[in-house]
Amino acid sequence: MANKTKKFEDELKDLETIVNQIDTGELTLDESIGAFERGVVLVKALNQKLDEVERKVELLTRSAGGELRTAPFEESMDEQPAGAKDDDETPF
């Protein structure tokens, strides 16, 4: 396989193809095991990509003054310090 990184959607489609091949029951035992192993590798790669994207995700918020700001994904609206006003920041 080339060193070129596949798109997430392409890898997901490959995984779906593998699952369908296994589900049909038309593969031999050895072919099924090989397909399963490829599927496990794809699942790990997909999870790694999702983790990388999750770290990059930022919530876009608008202050009471209308200014757009970004905040790390971990700082959700549910984790506001005690006494924080909901009016100060509203989701975009």
Side-chain angles (χ1 to χ4, degrees), residues 10-65:
D10 294 337
E11 287 185 338
L12 185 58
K13 189 172 185 174
D14 291 347
L15 180 61
E16 290 172 350
T17 300
I18 289 170
V19 170
N20 288 333
Q21 288 174 340
I22 293 172
D23 281 346
T24 63
E26 295 177 11
L27 298 177
T28 66
L29 180 59
D30 287 338
E31 291 170 335
S32 293
I33 291 171
F36 180 79
E37 290 172 344
R38 288 190 310 276
V40 168
V41 169
L42 281 171
V43 167
K44 287 180 181 179
L46 290 167
N47 280 332
Q48 182 179 5
K49 286 181 180 184
L50 286 174
D51 289 342
E52 289 172 12
V53 170
E54 184 176 9
R55 285 190 293 269
K56 293 178 184 178
V57 170
E58 293 181 333
L59 296 175
L60 185 60
T61 58
R62 187 181 302 269
S63 69

